[in-house]
Amino acid sequence: MTELRTLKVALLGCGNVGAQVARILIDDAENLAPRTGAHLQLTGIAVRNLDTKRDVELPRELFTTDAETLVKDADLVIELMGGIEPARTLILAAIRNGASVVTGNKALLAQDGPTLYEAADKAGVQLSYEAAVAGAIPILRPIRDSLSGDRITRVLGIVNGTTNFILDQMDTTGAQFADALAEAQRLGYAEADPTADVGGLDAAAKAAILASLSFHTRFDLENVHCEGITGVSAADIAAAKDAGFVIKLLAIAEKLTAADGSDGVSVRVHPTLLPREHPLAAVHGAFNAVFVEAENAGELMFYGQGAGGTPTASAVVGDLVSAARRIVLGGPAQVETTNGQVPALPIDAVNTSYYIGLDVADQPGVLAKIAQLFAEHGVSIEIMRQTIHRDADSNVESAELRIVTHRATEAALAATVEAVKGLDVINSVTSVLRVEGV
Ligand code: NAP
């Protein structure tokens, strides 16, 4: 039997994910070697504070605060520090030194991915980041490798566990947003400052990565239309439920033809109504799932834990083994293909169905007036349902109208809603939400 060579692995960060990666590399070294074709030797772990107690018992001599020196002597570098700097500088230094890099840093990739991809391409080294989208779920490699012989047309993802937990909690218990967020924070699913999650920015970073790989074009955060879930009320959830829908925060990347006939890709994150029978509607709690539609494969769904130290470490080590195998076998690194060159379409170009909730006067002829106004704006109605409420004290009746439209452009819908607001029979527009999967 031939003697296996040894590849030096530097780990930057020993937090939730890094500590579990170190554990796997040490405890599972014997199994990893034959799969890799090399021994993966963890040569050091860079941290900020040497005295911090770690989640895992690890040899003290591995720890250092000198990340720069650690990176210089590595064949493979795993970046799990998070944040933009010094992560970017260290990754670029590693690449310049000829090391392959594995990272889970979606914030950095969304902000400055092209700089890293180009540097890796130029140096002929591998840059892998499976953990950056949907934690443990293998989704980037399936899109990049398994589906490389197909044409992806649409990707719908629940890629943020915090917001899925909150919306699921609101759906199952009827809780208001603030109460569901407090519960998520109590259980450790949401951070003390939940802005990046509930505002949709975390999902937007992942949407940019998914869209780039799916459509072979570089998209960054600026190309992503982003709306969070802070405006979703318990009443929205209840109305959606009543109409057979569930509300999910979706990261969407889809090929579209705009009204002017030009082709492009819409990349967006927003609360979305899904029919309860859609596979993504069954994704509960903090779980993630990505639903992919491809011309030949049809519909595919990838489901699992989107975060957590141990699940995410599985994706990181998978990337590491794959990158190490490439070093052992030789040959060129796999680079991001950017030959798609499809433009990002603005949200106005998106053609989708909408759910509109209206509080209206209970008078004869109201439905006809509203239906006529929709028709005048070229927005056709698929479902219109009316519920009558009677105020017990005043005995005054009002009606709640729930409308689901056929596909219409964002611009046509916005004009319709503005016009509806001007009708004397309308008390208020209670919600306007996009619908997918009908
Ligand atoms: P974390 O728990 O905050 O750990 C960060 C680690 O990096 C700590 O060990 C910290 O050292 C070290 N570090 C930070 N700045 C440093 C610096 N300037 N120099 C040296 N060391 C530094 O983070 P995490 O949750 O493991 O996440 C790591 C990365 O994985 C992030 O990019 C995150 O977005 C991504 N990710 C995380 C998850 C998840 O479930 N947590 C899921 C998917 C992707 P000290 O311990 O000494 O402070």
Side-chain angles (χ1 to χ4, degrees), residues 341-352:
Q341 300 293 335
V342 270
L345 293 174
I347 189 73
D348 285 354
V350 172
N351 213 304
T352 188

Side-chain angles (χ1 to χ4, degrees), residues 12-19 45-55 63-67 79-83 85-87 90 103-108 131-136 202 206 306-312 316:
L12 311 180
C14 194
N16 295 316
V17 187
I45 306 173
V47 291
R48 262 180 309 211
N49 185 348
L50 293 174
D51 297 324
T52 300
K53 175 132 179 48
R54 305 291 159 189
D55 295 346
F63 286 90
T64 174
T65 52
D66 185 359
E79 185 279 306
L80 290 168
M81 298 191 310
E85 286 296 350
L90 289 165
T103 178
N105 196 332
K106 60 236 162 193
L108 174 57
V133 179
D202 174 80
K206 295 164 181 172
T310 306
T312 306
V316 171

